[in-house]
């Protein structure tokens, strides 16, 4: 029997058309199927339309709808492909990785840099390979793009124009598609319990970037404006200027605002013990993000706050690796086949 895959359609460039100007959503789930003719030899595809949006208009409400749709439909399928715009794909994939506790099969996000109706497009390649990944024994949320399947909460969009639009900077891809299909990194272990959706995201979370020589003006402004969580992108290993910033973090913590310290670097792991600027922030109450992407760290903060966690409980929960978002890089080749 052929594996069955659900295409869950949310929008993005893949299905867009050009109407005298910018690209806008147009095609919907069923319209996509004729463009991947031949795929039915390998898998049976069913499509469901969830929404049809540019992904810059997708947020926590849509993440929760996506998770609910996956949980409702996934028992009938080998896996799910979520068709999604590239702009916020890493955010949505991170959100689903935290919400879908007990996921035992693949949920693969994919999209395209050019619409599927264009002759020269990356959409067909991405969609066909994403569908094949959705039949594999991969119990986690991934992003398929270009030639690779990435762990969803480790991936980030790194290019506006390239067909290789994503990377997982501090984690080996899970699968590489070439003449042979290579499983290049271990996947998450199978879950111990059944699938359940845990929704709930705090919306009042902001990300701000430190400028050399600056003070914590934006941090104070975010606290005054009612932010419940702040992600600071410091320098290198997670360092902030020692003048002003640690005091700003103390003020934020005293106001009950969770402060997470990330880096402006793309690769590597934040280590708040490495330099004085990081240590001062740690002592002031900041939580380091380790090897997470900024998307995963921010969505994890939104989700943990949404579960009602604050203070020490939030700090402890943030340190727990929920879905491989912060695990150390592993580099083994775990399999290779035609
Ligand atoms: N703006 C589009 C979106 O994210 C870009 C894309 O799909 O590649 O929906």
């Amino acid at each position: 029997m052929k594996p069955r895959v659900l295409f869950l359609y949310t929008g993005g460039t893949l299905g867009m058309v050009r109407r005298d100007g910018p690209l806008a959503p147009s095609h919907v789930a069923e319209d996509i199927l004729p463009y991947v003719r031949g795929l039915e030899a390998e898998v049976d595809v069913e499509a469901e339309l969830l929404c049809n949006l540019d992904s810059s208009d997708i947020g926590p409400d849509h993440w929760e709808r996506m998770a609910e749709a996956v949980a409702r439909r996934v028992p009938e399928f080998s896996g799910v492909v979520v068709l999604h715009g590239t702009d916020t794909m890493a955010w949505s994939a991170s959100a689903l990785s935290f919400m879908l506790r007990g996921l035992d099969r693949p949920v693969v996000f994919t999209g395209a840099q050019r619409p599927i109706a264009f002759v020269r497009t990356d959409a067909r390649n991405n969609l066909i390979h994403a569908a094949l990944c959705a039949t594999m024994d991969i119990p986690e949320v991934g992003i398929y793009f270009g030639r690779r399947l990435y762990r969803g909460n480790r991936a980030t969009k790194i290019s506006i124009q390239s067909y290789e639009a994503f990377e997982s900077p501090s984690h080996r891809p899970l699968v590489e598609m070439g003449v042979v299909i290579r499983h290049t990194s271990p996947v998450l272990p199978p879950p111990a319990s059944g699938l359940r959706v845990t929704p709930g995201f705090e919306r009042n979370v902001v990300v701000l970037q430190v400028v050399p020589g600056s003070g914590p003006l934006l941090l104070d402004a975010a606290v005054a404006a009612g932010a419940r969580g702040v992600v600071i992108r410091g320098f290198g290993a997670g360092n902030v200027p020692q003048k002003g910033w640690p005091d700003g973090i103390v003020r934020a913590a005293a106001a009950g605002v969770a402060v997470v310290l990330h880096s402006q670097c793309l690769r590597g792991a934040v280590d708040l013990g490495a330099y004085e600027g990081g240590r001062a922030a740690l002592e002031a109450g900041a939580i380091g993000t380790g090897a997470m992407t900024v998307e995963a760290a921010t969505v994890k903060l939104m989700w943990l706050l949404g579960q009602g966690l604050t203070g020490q409980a939030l700090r402890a929960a943030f340190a727990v690796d929920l879905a491989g978002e912060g695990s150390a890089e592993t580099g083994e080749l775990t399999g290779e086949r035609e």
Side-chain angles (χ1 to χ4, degrees), residues 14-241:
L14 185 141
M16 288 188 186
V17 290
R18 200 185 291 288
R19 290 194 207 94
D20 350 295
L23 287 166
S26 167
H27 288 81
V28 293
E30 287 75 18
D31 300 341
I32 298 299
L33 297 180
Y35 291 102
V36 287
R37 202 159 277 142
L39 182 61
E40 68 276 7
E42 305 271 339
V43 289
D44 284 331
V45 175
E46 206 175 295
E48 179 174 327
L49 174 72
L50 201 71
C51 56
N52 193 4
L53 295 169
D54 186 293
S55 74
S56 30
D57 290 319
I58 283 183
D61 291 341
H62 306 96
W63 300 341
E64 291 175 354
R65 284 180 54 206
M66 284 178 217
E68 182 277 319
V70 168
R72 180 170 40 82
R73 300 296 308 273
V74 81
E76 307 161 49
F77 296 92
S78 303
V80 178
V81 174
V82 183
L83 289 84
H84 193 291
T86 56
D87 289 351
T88 66
M89 190 182 287
W91 296 81
S92 296
S94 295
L96 265 69
S97 79
F98 300 135
M99 265 188 290
L100 292 170
R101 310 281 77 218
L103 182 67
D104 68 351
R105 55 198 82 183
V107 172
V108 182
F109 280 73
T110 198
Q113 295 280 53
R114 283 170 62 85
I116 202 158
F118 288 15
V119 172
R120 201 170 67 72
T121 178
D122 54 332
R124 276 193 299 276
N125 168 63
N126 288 345
L127 199 46
I128 288 167
H129 287 107
L132 297 178
C133 289
T135 68
M136 294 175 185
D137 194 10
I138 300 178
E140 57 177 289
V141 178
I143 289 181
Y144 185 88
F145 221 88
R147 291 179 293 124
R148 299 187 180 92
L149 177 71
Y150 304 97
R151 176 163 296 159
N153 58 31
R154 303 305 288 264
T156 191
K157 184 175 178 182
I158 47 107
S159 175
I160 300 169
Q161 271 99 17
S162 170
Y163 281 175
E164 304 278 346
F166 284 82
E167 247 188 52
S168 52
S170 300
H171 190 264
R172 288 268 298 242
L174 301 176
V175 176
E176 277 182 17
M177 292 285 189
V179 173
V180 294
I181 298 171
R182 301 171 77 221
H183 293 260
T184 38
S185 186
V187 298
L188 292 177
S193 57
L195 179 61
R196 66 178 198 285
V197 180
T198 310
F201 291 91
E202 170 60 56
R203 268 62 167 178
N204 293 320
V205 170
V206 297
V207 181
L208 56 91
Q209 180 148 322
V210 180
V211 174
S214 69
L217 206 70
L218 272 181
L219 175 58
D220 286 332
V223 172
R228 303 310 310 150
V230 177
V231 179
I232 299 173
R233 299 194 77 167
F235 309 120
N239 302 310
V240 291

Side-chain angles (χ1 to χ4, degrees), residues 204 206 208 216-232 244-261 281 283-287 301 305 310-311 314-315:
N204 293 320
V206 297
L208 56 91
L217 206 70
L218 272 181
L219 175 58
D220 286 332
V223 172
R228 303 310 310 150
V230 177
V231 179
I232 299 173
W245 282 89
D247 290 343
I249 294 169
V250 167
R251 285 194 293 279
V257 179
V259 177
V260 161
L261 192 43
E283 283 165 3
I287 305 170
L301 178 61
L305 287 167
T310 54
L314 178 92
R315 175 184 290 277

Side-chain angles (χ1 to χ4, degrees), residues 306-321:
Q307 307 309 304
L309 298 176
T310 54
Q312 275 311 316
L314 178 92
R315 175 184 290 277
F318 199 87
V320 175
D321 191 49

